[in-house]
Amino acid sequence: KAVFYPLLHALGIVSVATLGMAGVIKPLPAARICSVFSLGIVLFSGSLYLLAISQIKAFGAVTPFGGVAFIFGWFDLARIAAKLPN
């Protein structure tokens, strides 16, 4: 999971950034979504990597915050996509 989710969200970052540069999504919301995805990668995967390396269980408590960041990013993207003209 610590490797799959960053890959998935890195593709999301590239896609959202491309949509922002193409003018499909306004630049500010695109940057916000990319930032939230990046934060999710750092919190989710970073905490799992630190937990695996250090065996300090407290890092496991940070992991859900990264998952919440991922969810917020996807909801924000869905909200913006719902407003796009067909």
Side-chain angles (χ1 to χ4, degrees), residues 15-40:
S15 299
V16 170
T18 302
L19 291 172
M21 290 185 341
V24 177
I25 299 175
K26 292 181 181 176
L28 187 60
R32 182 181 60 236
I33 293 168
C34 290
S35 297
V36 171
F37 281 165
S38 297
L39 178 66

Side-chain angles (χ1 to χ4, degrees), residues 35-80:
S35 297
V36 171
F37 281 165
S38 297
L39 178 66
I41 290 170
V42 169
L43 292 177
F44 186 86
S45 297
S47 65
L48 291 177
Y49 293 142
L50 288 172
L51 175 63
I53 291 169
S54 69
Q55 298 298 315
I56 299 172
K57 303 273 187 218
F59 288 124
V62 178
T63 307
F65 293 105
V68 169
F70 289 152
I71 292 168
F72 279 144
W74 288 114
F75 276 133
D76 199 17
L77 181 59
R79 181 184 59 80
I80 291 168

